[in-house]
Amino acid sequence: MVTPLKEEDLSKHYILSYKPNAKYAYTAGQAQSKYLLGLKEGKIYGRKCNKCGRIHVPPKMYCEECFRPTDEWVEVKDEGIVMTAVASFISWTRAKLEEPEIVGVIRLLPSNDRDFVYPGIFHRICASYEQVKSMEIIGKRVKAVWKPKEERKGSIEDIQCFKVI
């Protein structure tokens, strides 16, 4: 049986002092773990679907086009084409920037001409604000600028930016 609250009980506030001892542990998963380990080695890995020929970078264990498991790991080039680019005057920490940071999507080049790499990496681009404003950067071929091997951690930050070649 549920007892209804009295009106005087509704105005009472209770303070509970408790500090949870929450500990979190998670894995990057099979696809992301291989991808991140590859970045540490200076390599970019994707997952290929042999049915449609797409190589997913970042890798996915299931093809979004065919709705089936991807088939194999492939190494793609650390070169690509700038698909989108924006100039951000706000930093990753939300601080205002005097000089903008240029970011965009780079569709990486496959290991051979029959493959199609999809969708691409969102990353920094070593370009000027004027190149973005005029849209000159769109469609340019770029190459990854890697951190020195001893500084790599297995993070997307192991690539400093993509520079026009």
Side-chain angles (χ1 to χ4, degrees), residues 116-129:
F116 174 68
V117 179
Y118 171 85
I121 295 178
F122 180 75
H123 211 293
R124 291 181 189 92
I125 303 170
C126 304
S128 72
Y129 177 55

Side-chain angles (χ1 to χ4, degrees), residues 5-132:
L5 287 173
K6 297 178 187 168
E7 192 159 331
E8 60 267 13
D9 289 336
L10 294 175
S11 64
K12 292 180 183 174
H13 297 282
Y14 298 95
I15 298 174
L16 178 63
S17 181
Y18 174 73
K19 184 177 177 183
N21 186 13
K23 295 180 182 176
Y24 297 93
Y26 63 93
T27 177
Q30 186 178 0
Q32 292 302 312
S33 292
K34 170 93 175 177
Y35 179 66
L36 295 172
L37 288 171
L39 292 174
K40 190 172 184 177
E41 299 171 11
K43 298 177 180 179
I44 302 174
Y45 289 111
R47 286 289 293 178
K48 183 175 182 180
C49 173
N50 289 333
K51 183 174 180 187
C52 68
R54 284 187 179 195
I55 299 172
H56 297 271
V57 177
K60 297 182 182 303
M61 296 307 289
Y62 287 87
C63 180
E64 295 172 345
E65 182 72 19
C66 301
F67 303 107
R68 61 183 289 280
T70 52
D71 299 292
E72 61 183 307
W73 287 102
V74 293
E75 183 180 346
V76 298
K77 295 178 182 173
D78 65 351
E79 297 178 18
I81 307 295
V82 176
M83 303 305 288
T84 66
V86 296
S88 176
F89 285 89
I90 301 170
S91 76
W92 300 104
T93 61
R94 296 179 291 173
K96 185 177 178 185
L97 298 172
E98 293 299 319
E99 290 295 317
E101 188 163 43
I102 311 303
V103 294
V105 175
I106 293 93
R107 182 175 56 85
L108 297 174
L109 298 175
S111 51
N112 66 62
D113 293 337
R114 294 184 322 249
D115 293 331
F116 174 68
V117 179
Y118 171 85
I121 295 178
F122 180 75
H123 211 293
R124 291 181 189 92
I125 303 170
C126 304
S128 72
Y129 177 55
E130 289 305 316
Q131 287 175 302
V132 174

